[in-house]
Amino acid sequence: MTLPPSLLDRSVTDPDVKATYAVDESVGAIAPDTFEVVRARDLGDVVDVLTHAQATGTPVVPQGARSGLAGGSVALRGGIVLSLAGLTDITELDPVEATAVVQPGVLNADLKAAAAAEGLFYPPDPASSAFCTIGGNVATNAGGLCCVKYGVTADYVRGLQVVLAGGEVIRTGRRTAKGVAGLDLTGLFVGSEGTLGVVTEVVVKLVPAPDPALTALATFGSLSAASDAIVALRRERHRPSLLELLDDVSIAAVQAVSDFGFPGDCAAVLIVSADRPGHTGEDIARYAGLLEAAGATEVAVADDAQESDALLAGRRALHHGLVAKGTHFIEDVCVPVQRLTELITAGHEIAARTGVEISMSGHGGDGNLHPSFFYDPADEASRHRAEEAFGELVAVTLSMGGTITGEHGVGSLKARWLPDEVGAASLERQRAVKALFDPRGILNPGRVYWS
Amino acid sequence: MTLPPSLLDRSVTDPDVKATYAVDESVGAIAPDTFEVVRARDLGDVVDVLTHAQATGTPVVPQGARSGLAGGSVALRGGIVLSLAGLTDITELDPVEATAVVQPGVLNADLKAAAAAEGLFYPPDPASSAFCTIGGNVATNAGGLCCVKYGVTADYVRGLQVVLAGGEVIRTGRRTAKGVAGLDLTGLFVGSEGTLGVVTEVVVKLVPAPDPALTALATFGSLSAASDAIVALRRERHRPSLLELLDDVSIAAVQAVSDFGFPGDCAAVLIVSADRPGHTGEDIARYAGLLEAAGATEVAVADDAQESDALLAGRRALHHGLVAKGTHFIEDVCVPVQRLTELITAGHEIAARTGVEISMSGHGGDGNLHPSFFYDPADEASRHRAEEAFGELVAVTLSMGGTITGEHGVGSLKARWLPDEVGAASLERQRAVKALFDPRGILNPGRVYWS
């Protein structure tokens, strides 16, 4: 494959640099042998790539920070990686309307900071907030730790500029607080994982800034007591701004990194935060009471932001702890909150039966966990067992009315289960919509929908 | 047109009863000379109608409470009115997950009441809340007075069951707090005004119940002072739960119904409410301070729910006041909030220049107004002038980056302006999606998209 001359000066030719664009953060991602990389500098570049790709039938993989975990932005053989990471302008921030207009390469953390400077808040906060891009967040409809109170990326996107396969540019949605003129194409593009078009501008809604959060941490002798606490906290009129759960395997992994003060013998840890302006102390004290009432063994309550950070440090170290523990597949299942104990118990039962080590932790307040399945990458049989265990937990999740992906996206890793979740009739319509926007199938082919 | 025997026992034959299904609340709606009415009793009836309609190319108009203002549910000549008003079950209400599953004929007020019994809240509150249906709310993505704090119907819909043209039944979305598996077909159906399918079940999200609201009412000598107050109130960290604006023409119309205590010489009235649990008194006092600081002539603050009702009574009487004042077209424009003064001034300027009486009032906090254009129905020239003035204000709205419809829908009355708002490229894609779901064009044809 050769890029046309007009794209050459925007392409990456150095093999070492090029290699860095090959894979995302998904487990087992492999760089293809041939691919091109174009770093877009402006809208025109995106139009040029999608015009060329459509004309030549070349696969295009839109790419942000490559922090995805589902394999949605790994380069494709013979395709073009279209990096939007260089489009980093916040072109507008309107404190009265409480909106911002941003390019797709703006980092989540940078948008948060710009909003904060105006007393506003952009809530979606994937764990990768410091380095992931808004474009990637829109592509996956990213969530994070805030969702229990604030919802997900889709809840904050009012409108988009999108380049379609073939290079046509459309605008979707609105800039105003409300608007119902025509079909909601904005919602269709949010979470479409680069399969319908390439987002080149995002109009986001901002909300008034909360207070710096105060945090409490509770240990539990049983999963069911921890689940009871989650149920009680969700029924609070002032919903916690964070409600995270770690199981015993996760706690051990974190403690192996450093001593975060988690006791070795507890079944679960819950971490809960309050950020309500003017009432963080009052709320966190009430949450602590609910944690105790649900049967917490021990509850630590932070008095200030610094202590809160300390209580969250263990949760923040979880990713490192799991990576240090070993190679693993990561799930992103979400079930109705009251099925959480059942889900975790099922995970532990699968682990005991198959011998695969499985940790169960994540956004407990949403019923959205990221179970990790550990295996020995040098041992094919071990990997196979982990894959089987992974599939078993997916089946359990679906039987509970849950979803295979709460926030990471389907990508390539979860595409095989999509039909099981959405059903044949709905899947057929989704494929038809995909074919409508991308008749030649050049946009992230093979992702989300298996060919 | 003849209904097949299988549908006859669900059809309405009495001409007087049938006539009641002919029109909605839109101005100038005219009953067609021939149409059938089928009252669905269950999913199977909806499937039967859409199977028959697809096979015979018969237009179908899905219909709820006929409270729509945009002409989206008026019977079509030779078509079938498919009434979902009889499907009134709340089939599930889960206080832990904070969700409900409802049939489309459930009244908005009944869902609110069922949620309230569990300490929960279903926010969307069109002025027609007491008699409009959830199905209709979903079809138009209805808003209401709550939107300034709580958003619109789309923000509360997690999943749908939909019958497609031809009778196929699909499920969209999810039941869990989060979920990003596949394209967001749910969002596509919400607000599609019966043009893509017939919604037969809705999974809605509920939120913790707020406190009974306290309300303040302020009068202003100038529109710009009222606008300043709106801007200040929107920047509050604890956003008001209601923020309504009435201009002088609206105030006079309300006072003509009964004396609600509005002074005759003010340029605008703002009504603002606070419903934050445990802090309504504190918040409303602060809002009152902001109203005064912005230059309010007079501010009345309610001490309890009863006084709040009294302050809201004038706003509640607005619809009656406008109807009593005379026949009028109703707009539903929405602009960025800081353009509100400009919009209202433009409305008054158009009124002065054309001689058409225009009132400008509505959901000021969202920039979403419902300007009314009065005319003499017996005078064709008067009607024509009102239509022209209506079109002029639409053009002003679009020039401000606003929308032709914030919450009522496009229906038949606003279809001519849709291309101006969304642009040719986006409109073409919307039409293509419509054609994909409804290839024979049987679903509410002529609405939203002009043929």
Side-chain angles (χ1 to χ4, degrees):
Chain A
M1 180 199 46
T2 322
L3 287 173
S6 64
L7 288 172
L8 285 180
D9 65 330
R10 285 152 284 177
S11 75
V12 178
T13 48
D14 182 294
D16 292 337
V17 177
K18 205 169 146 182
T20 65
Y21 288 86
V23 297
D24 61 13
E25 291 290 319
S26 58
V27 172
I30 296 169
D33 50 0
T34 58
F35 66 100
E36 300 289 345
V37 176
V38 174
R39 292 189 284 211
R41 294 165 314 193
D42 55 28
L43 174 66
D45 288 351
V46 178
V47 169
D48 287 352
V49 167
L50 293 187
T51 305
H52 167 74
Q54 173 90 332
T56 55
T58 308
V60 174
V61 179
Q63 199 182 71
R66 297 183 298 281
S67 52
L69 295 168
S73 56
V74 176
L76 288 168
R77 186 159 189 274
I80 300 171
V81 165
L82 174 56
S83 173
L84 288 311
L87 302 178
T88 58
D89 285 351
I90 298 176
T91 51
E92 206 182 306
L93 203 155
D94 180 340
V96 174
E97 190 69 18
T99 52
V101 181
V102 304
Q103 291 189 321
V106 169
L107 300 188
N108 179 293
D110 288 346
L111 175 54
K112 278 190 161 51
E118 295 287 348
L120 294 166
F121 180 42
Y122 177 70
D125 63 341
S128 53
S129 170
F131 48 92
C132 67
T133 65
I134 296 297
N137 294 174
V138 168
T140 56
N141 190 9
L145 282 67
C146 72
C147 306
V148 66
K149 177 171 177 180
Y150 292 101
V152 295
T153 299
D155 298 318
Y156 296 88
V157 179
R158 282 195 183 169
L160 298 170
Q161 183 189 63
V162 183
V163 183
L164 301 177
E168 193 177 21
V169 181
I170 67 169
R171 285 202 170 272
T172 72
R174 61 188 207 278
R175 281 170 164 257
T176 48
K178 299 156 81 177
V180 295
L183 296 178
D184 179 20
L185 297 185
T186 305
L188 199 58
F189 282 104
V190 175
S192 64
E193 303 187 40
T195 65
L196 298 185
V198 177
V199 170
T200 45
E201 193 175 272
V202 188
V203 182
V204 300
K205 175 181 91 166
L206 306 170
V207 296
D211 273 359
L214 288 184
T215 296
L217 185 150
T219 57
F220 289 87
S222 78
L223 279 171
S224 65
S227 285
D228 288 349
I230 289 175
V231 166
L233 286 162
R234 273 183 59 90
R235 298 203 70 166
E236 272 290 288
R237 294 170 96 192
H238 301 295
R239 188 67 77 75
S241 58
L242 174 152
L243 182 41
E244 297 286 306
L245 177 144
L246 287 81
D247 74 340
D248 50 359
V249 180
S250 306
I251 294 164
V254 168
Q255 283 291 104
V257 172
S258 180
D259 184 3
F260 290 96
F262 295 160
D265 59 350
C266 67
V269 159
L270 285 188
I271 305 171
V272 57
S273 296
D275 71 352
R276 188 164 62 107
H279 302 280
T280 52
E282 170 194 330
D283 287 353
I284 203 69
R286 207 174 54 253
Y287 299 163
L290 289 172
L291 291 163
E292 275 159 18
T297 319
E298 221 174 321
V299 181
V301 182
D303 281 333
D304 55 35
Q306 203 180 345
E307 282 184 31
S308 293
D309 275 350
L311 292 181
L312 269 170
R315 169 64 183 90
R316 291 222 183 82
L318 178 61
H319 179 66
H320 295 129
L322 297 177
V323 168
K325 184 174 167 65
T327 307
H328 58 276
F329 299 114
I330 303 171
E331 275 192 356
D332 175 35
V333 293
C334 188
V335 296
V337 169
Q338 54 205 305
R339 312 292 295 261
L340 212 44
T341 304
E342 247 176 292
L343 178 72
I344 298 172
T345 305
H348 291 166
E349 185 276 320
I350 293 168
R353 181 161 41 76
T354 62
V356 175
E357 264 204 296
I358 305 175
S359 66
M360 304 283 288
S361 52
H363 316 305
D366 298 310
N368 179 205
L369 298 188
H370 299 307
S372 293
F373 297 72
F374 294 87
Y375 64 95
D376 175 359
D379 176 357
E380 189 51 40
S382 160
R383 182 190 166 104
H384 181 71
R385 277 197 304 276
E387 278 174 349
E388 292 282 308
F390 189 101
E392 279 195 53
L393 196 64
V394 165
V396 170
T397 298
L398 292 176
S399 76
M400 290 179 181
T403 175
I404 56 172
T405 175
E407 56 181 11
H408 291 171
V410 175
S412 51
L413 297 186
K414 281 151 197 163
R416 59 181 280 209
W417 291 291
L418 184 66
D420 296 339
E421 176 167 342
V422 304
S426 190
L427 187 66
E428 189 195 322
R429 300 293 160 162
Q430 296 201 18
R431 282 181 178 280
V433 172
K434 157 73 174 166
L436 184 68
F437 282 88
D438 181 21
R440 286 202 71 173
I442 61 161
L443 288 166
N444 227 358
R447 273 73 198 253
V448 187
Y449 309 102
W450 271 13
S451 359
Chain B
M1 178 198 46
T2 323
L3 287 172
S6 64
L7 288 172
L8 285 181
D9 65 329
R10 286 153 283 177
S11 75
V12 178
T13 49
D14 182 294
D16 294 335
V17 177
K18 205 169 146 184
T20 66
Y21 288 86
V23 296
D24 60 15
E25 291 290 319
S26 58
V27 172
I30 296 169
D33 50 359
T34 60
F35 66 100
E36 300 289 344
V37 177
V38 174
R39 292 189 283 211
R41 293 165 316 192
D42 55 29
L43 175 65
D45 288 351
V46 178
V47 170
D48 287 352
V49 168
L50 292 188
T51 306
H52 167 73
Q54 173 90 332
T56 55
T58 308
V60 174
V61 179
Q63 199 184 71
R66 296 183 299 282
S67 52
L69 294 168
S73 56
V74 176
L76 288 167
R77 185 158 189 271
I80 300 172
V81 166
L82 174 57
S83 173
L84 289 311
L87 302 178
T88 58
D89 285 350
I90 297 177
T91 52
E92 208 182 304
L93 203 155
D94 180 339
V96 173
E97 190 69 19
T99 52
V101 181
V102 304
Q103 291 189 322
V106 169
L107 300 187
N108 178 294
D110 288 346
L111 175 55
K112 277 189 161 51
E118 294 289 347
L120 294 166
F121 181 41
Y122 178 70
D125 62 343
S128 53
S129 171
F131 49 91
C132 67
T133 66
I134 296 297
N137 295 174
V138 168
T140 56
N141 189 11
L145 283 66
C146 73
C147 307
V148 65
K149 176 172 177 180
Y150 291 101
V152 296
T153 299
D155 299 319
Y156 296 88
V157 179
R158 283 194 183 170
L160 298 170
Q161 183 189 63
V162 183
V163 183
L164 302 177
E168 194 177 20
V169 181
I170 67 168
R171 285 202 169 272
T172 71
R174 61 189 207 276
R175 282 171 162 256
T176 48
K178 296 156 83 177
V180 294
L183 296 178
D184 178 19
L185 297 185
T186 305
L188 199 57
F189 283 105
V190 176
S192 65
E193 304 187 41
T195 65
L196 297 184
V198 177
V199 171
T200 46
E201 194 175 270
V202 188
V203 182
V204 299
K205 174 180 93 167
L206 305 170
V207 296
D211 272 0
L214 288 185
T215 296
L217 185 150
T219 56
F220 289 87
S222 77
L223 279 172
S224 65
S227 285
D228 288 351
I230 289 175
V231 166
L233 285 162
R234 274 185 58 90
R235 299 203 71 166
E236 272 291 287
R237 294 170 96 192
H238 301 294
R239 187 68 75 80
S241 58
L242 175 151
L243 181 42
E244 297 285 306
L245 177 145
L246 286 82
D247 74 342
D248 50 359
V249 181
S250 307
I251 293 165
V254 168
Q255 284 291 105
V257 172
S258 179
D259 184 4
F260 290 96
F262 296 160
D265 58 349
C266 66
V269 159
L270 286 189
I271 305 171
V272 56
S273 295
D275 71 353
R276 189 165 61 108
H279 302 280
T280 52
E282 171 193 331
D283 287 352
I284 203 70
R286 207 174 53 255
Y287 299 163
L290 290 172
L291 291 164
E292 275 159 19
T297 319
E298 222 176 319
V299 181
V301 183
D303 281 332
D304 55 35
Q306 203 180 345
E307 282 183 30
S308 292
D309 275 350
L311 291 182
L312 268 169
R315 169 65 183 89
R316 290 222 183 83
L318 177 61
H319 179 68
H320 294 128
L322 297 178
V323 168
K325 183 174 169 63
T327 307
H328 58 276
F329 298 114
I330 303 172
E331 275 192 354
D332 174 35
V333 293
C334 189
V335 295
V337 170
Q338 53 205 304
R339 312 292 296 263
L340 211 45
T341 303
E342 246 175 293
L343 178 72
I344 298 172
T345 305
H348 290 166
E349 184 274 319
I350 293 168
R353 181 162 40 77
T354 63
V356 175
E357 264 205 295
I358 306 175
S359 66
M360 306 281 290
S361 53
H363 316 305
D366 297 310
N368 179 205
L369 297 188
H370 299 308
S372 294
F373 297 72
F374 295 87
Y375 64 95
D376 175 0
D379 176 356
E380 189 51 41
S382 161
R383 181 191 166 104
H384 180 71
R385 278 196 304 276
E387 278 173 350
E388 293 283 308
F390 189 100
E392 279 194 52
L393 195 64
V394 165
V396 169
T397 298
L398 293 176
S399 76
M400 291 180 182
T403 174
I404 56 172
T405 175
E407 57 181 12
H408 292 170
V410 175
S412 52
L413 296 188
K414 280 151 197 164
R416 57 182 280 209
W417 291 290
L418 184 66
D420 295 339
E421 176 167 341
V422 305
S426 190
L427 187 67
E428 188 195 322
R429 300 294 161 162
Q430 297 201 18
R431 281 182 180 279
V433 171
K434 157 73 174 167
L436 183 68
F437 281 89
D438 182 21
R440 287 202 70 174
I442 61 162
L443 288 166
N444 226 0
R447 272 74 199 251
V448 187
Y449 308 102
W450 270 13
S451 354

